[in-house]
Amino acid sequence: AGMNHYFNFPVLSSMGFEFSFGFAAQTSIVELILVMTNTTQVFTARIRYDDVNDQLTYRDAAGVDIVVASGLMLAKLPELFHTMKLVIDAVTRTYRYVILDNVTYDLDGAPINTVVGGAAAVGGMGVYNYSRAGFNDLVYVDDVIITQNEPV
């Protein structure tokens, strides 16, 4: 299950994409996907919290998931929300950092996947939960925020 927020193509800057999520039991994956397109290019950034493998990953320019942190054990209480924030440099199309709760992980300017294409100049942010096979896992999402001119 997921939710999407679409927006007009912004003034490019360092941008933040943030949401909070809570869950009472194990799930499989909670992810944030960002897609922005102009008339010539599409760039896609993705971060994932993998609850089964206790990992935080990002999708690199080649489409490969890179482990940022492992051994993560997020508390599972329905009234406790975790916050995840991705900061990118939209001008250079690079990852800057991701924050999960109170820890910042440097993504060291890794390139974001960029391909030729595009149509209308728009952007979209999606937050998704993928359940474990054979389960109907539930994740609560709140506080979806998009910011510009983030410190890098």
Side-chain angles (χ1 to χ4, degrees):
M3 60 182 282
N4 295 305
H5 174 79
Y6 298 101
F7 50 90
N8 288 315
F9 198 80
V11 174
L12 297 181
S13 67
S14 54
M15 301 179 69
F17 301 88
E18 177 178 341
F19 69 101
S20 295
F21 64 99
F23 44 94
Q26 187 172 26
T27 189
S28 181
I29 291 171
V30 177
E31 76 176 3
L32 176 135
I33 296 178
L34 165 69
V35 177
M36 293 177 70
T37 180
N38 57 29
T39 56
T40 60
Q41 295 179 317
V42 177
F43 66 97
T44 305
R46 183 180 85 185
I47 55 171
R48 281 184 159 186
Y49 170 64
D50 181 338
D51 194 37
V52 173
N53 296 304
D54 302 322
Q55 294 179 331
L56 180 65
T57 63
Y58 75 94
R59 171 75 46 100
D60 75 1
V64 176
D65 288 329
I66 306 298
V67 176
V68 176
S70 57
L72 300 174
M73 302 283 289
L74 299 185
K76 294 169 179 60
L77 299 167
E79 62 276 358
L80 175 66
F81 279 77
H82 301 280
T83 299
M84 186 183 300
K85 180 176 186 175
L86 171 65
V87 175
I88 65 164
D89 185 330
V91 176
T92 61
R93 291 175 176 71
T94 55
Y95 289 98
R96 304 312 301 163
Y97 55 90
V98 60
I99 301 170
L100 180 57
D101 289 337
N102 62 342
V103 180
T104 301
Y105 302 94
D106 185 7
L107 301 180
D108 200 28
I112 293 172
N113 180 274
T114 304
V115 296
V116 175
V122 296
M125 172 184 171
V127 177
Y128 301 96
N129 172 54
Y130 299 95
S131 293
R132 297 165 294 154
F135 291 86
N136 188 18
D137 299 324
L138 179 64
V139 170
Y140 304 97
V141 175
D142 198 4
D143 302 327
V144 178
I145 302 169
I146 300 172
T147 55
Q148 288 192 272
N149 301 315
E150 286 285 334
V152 290

